Amino acid sequence: MHCTRKITEDLYWVGASDRRLALFENVYPIPRGVSYNAYLLMDEKTVLLDTVDASVSRRFMQNVEATLAGRPLDYLVINHMEPDHCACVEEIVRRYPETRLVCNAKTVAMLQQFFDFDVTGRTDVIKEGDTLSTGRHTLTFVMAPMVHWPEAMVTYDTTDKVLFSADAFGTFGAIDGNLFADEVNIERDHIDEFRRYFTNIVGKYGPQVQALLKKAAGLEISMICPLHGFVWRENLGYILDKYQHWSTYTPEEKGVLIAFGSIYGNTEEAAELLAHKLSERGVKNIAMYDVSSTHSSVIVSEAFRLSHWVLASATYNGGIYTPMEFALTELKLHNLQNRTVAVLENGTWAAMAGKQIHAVLDTMKNITRIEPTVSVKSAVKPAQVEALDALADALAASVQG
Ligand code: FEO
């Protein structure tokens, strides 16, 4: 059975959702599933824009076949070669052998890496600014390297002002019937997953996203059709503003992320005391996470959202407590910068975590420290309460300043 959505007079969503996959990219928990979007333009020529993950190939093929309704498939535009989108390219080629594969030179190389079919004579290799006329519509192509792979590009329909944005503007979460962003409550129900998707998948490539946003600013866009999640046809400024913040590593909100790694609860107690002291000083928007039980993708996402971080870690094997070390590595790998950070360490015979956390922070860009590091020996004592008061004063002044 097919399951499609009409988007405009001649544009159809022919993608599918996966609610059975536990980990996207075998890394990121997706309790609400994920959608793989593909679009079919039924002009004088028919154009499929991207395919889907292998897990939903059956539904996708049914959708394509039903929408074509016996017409040939003239073109397949391949905006992105990651297998969550390109997995069905070979099947499309088998079923529709006359289809021209519209892609850039880097994509051709990847097609040959991923697949065994002979691409010779099947591809129309395009470059930035080239156009494809399909009848009423004219498509043009904009390279978007590293958003999120080197071959990534986006396609712009100059006729209806539709941007097929590849991974950009996507999110985790299945399509529960409502395909359009204006059919759901994004701010209440979805923005955290938009952020977790963007920051973890593409967050490292802020400058490249900025380059794409600058190119997009020169286009009149009435609709954004991404490869995951909702189609945007209203309030585009809202999601563009989020992308502006995320891709420039600018905090969305003043507030404090407290990430703690605690073995027996004493480091957690110090972190919690600090949280309460901050609140007593009028600091709002405090978010506290146990790095042992919180997926690192949430820590990364919250670190993008908030202006200030407190990293509180036990000492373990003479270094940073392993789950904290992993979380900190993730923050560094995602190119996080422009934050104000305080450090809290704990150790029974030698508190070593703080020094090593600072060494990692030294390698990140534009990190402002709030000193001194609060050092706990096993458990919080009056001397540490005093130190936490001083830290809370300094942090509160910085957040509210
Ligand atoms: Fe959704 Fe980079 O693939």
Side-chain angles (χ1 to χ4, degrees), residues 30 43 47 68 83 96 135 153 155-156 170 173 185 196 209 219 231 245 257 259 291 316 322 330 387 391 395:
I30 44 167
D43 202 1
V47 185
L68 284 172
Y96 305 97
M153 64 181 201
T155 298
Y156 178 63
N185 190 328
R196 193 167 68 91
V209 174
L219 305 172
V231 169
H245 281 82
L257 160 69
V291 292
Y316 207 63
T322 323
E330 284 282 272
L391 180 57
L395 256 174

Side-chain angles (χ1 to χ4, degrees), residues 32-68:
R32 293 157 72 188
V34 64
S35 81
Y36 305 106
N37 297 339
Y39 303 92
L40 189 48
L41 185 61
M42 298 294 289
D43 202 1
E44 287 171 28
K45 298 286 187 185
T46 60
V47 185
L48 178 62
L49 293 117
D50 293 291
T51 75
V52 296
D53 189 84
S55 63
V56 293
S57 61
R58 185 162 170 261
R59 167 61 55 78
F60 165 71
M61 289 300 173
Q62 290 166 337
N63 286 347
V64 171
E65 192 177 333
T67 306
L68 284 172

Side-chain angles (χ1 to χ4, degrees), residues 208-246:
Q208 290 87 347
V209 174
Q210 274 290 300
L212 177 60
L213 290 178
K214 288 195 175 92
K215 289 183 190 176
L219 305 172
E220 184 188 345
I221 298 170
S222 62
M223 188 180 291
I224 298 175
C225 293
L227 288 177
H228 302 284
F230 304 103
V231 169
W232 291 80
R233 60 184 176 183
E234 292 178 11
N235 203 12
L236 270 53
Y238 171 83
I239 194 66
L240 284 164
D241 178 64
K242 293 292 183 191
Y243 266 61
Q244 183 63 22
H245 281 82
W246 297 334

